Amino acid sequence: QLQLGESGGGLVQPGGSLRLSCAASGFTLDVYGVGWFRQAPGKEREGVSCISGSGSGGRTNYADSVKGRFTISRDSAKNTVYLQMNSLKPEDTAVYYCAAGQNRGLCDDEYDTWGQGTQVTVSS
């Protein structure tokens, strides 16, 4: 019954923007660490950006490859976490997943509940 659902993926040109949404059902997302991860064909899953629970200060973390371009945020009233992606590059192409866990909001921490993923394709 604890579920996460991603939305907002699609096809964009290099330099474009997308906003991904991660909505929770069956639990209050605000108290959990939440991460965005991605997996490209033939590659291992990569942590993109993670955020700690609101009670832990809502600290954010970013992979070096996306710093300055991506922003993770929460809307507690909507039980949703977002990933704003700007200045997209072809190498950002991947399936993006959100996940939640009782952790510090670091991307190397354990995440127990995962969404199904949303495809992001950056191509001209």
Side-chain angles (χ1 to χ4, degrees):
Q1 191 174 5
L2 305 180
Q3 295 184 351
L4 295 173
E6 303 97 333
S7 62
L11 173 64
V12 297
Q13 294 184 342
S17 297
L18 287 172
R19 188 177 74 163
L20 306 183
S21 299
C22 176
S25 61
F27 67 105
T28 300
L29 191 59
D30 186 64
V31 303
Y32 290 90
V34 177
W36 284 98
F37 302 82
R38 66 187 181 188
Q39 188 166 26
K43 295 186 177 181
E44 295 294 319
R45 187 181 65 206
E46 174 190 18
V48 177
S49 182
C50 300
I51 186 170
S52 66
S54 295
S56 298
R59 299 179 180 88
T60 58
N61 300 278
Y62 299 91
D64 288 341
S65 60
V66 307
K67 286 181 179 177
R69 299 189 298 122
F70 291 10
T71 303
I72 190 170
S73 63
R74 291 180 181 269
D75 187 336
S76 296
K78 296 182 178 180
N79 211 24
T80 299
V81 170
Y82 302 98
L83 184 68
Q84 178 67 46
M85 305 186 296
N86 299 326
S87 301
L88 284 163
K89 303 175 180 179
E91 50 262 47
D92 296 318
T93 296
V95 178
Y96 283 70
Y97 302 88
C98 69
Q102 295 177 327
N103 57 41
R104 302 164 296 174
L106 303 177
C107 288
D108 287 339
D109 289 342
E110 180 180 348
Y111 291 85
D112 303 309
T113 303
W114 290 76
Q116 294 180 335
T118 184
Q119 176 71 48
V120 172
T121 302
V122 185
S123 177
S124 60

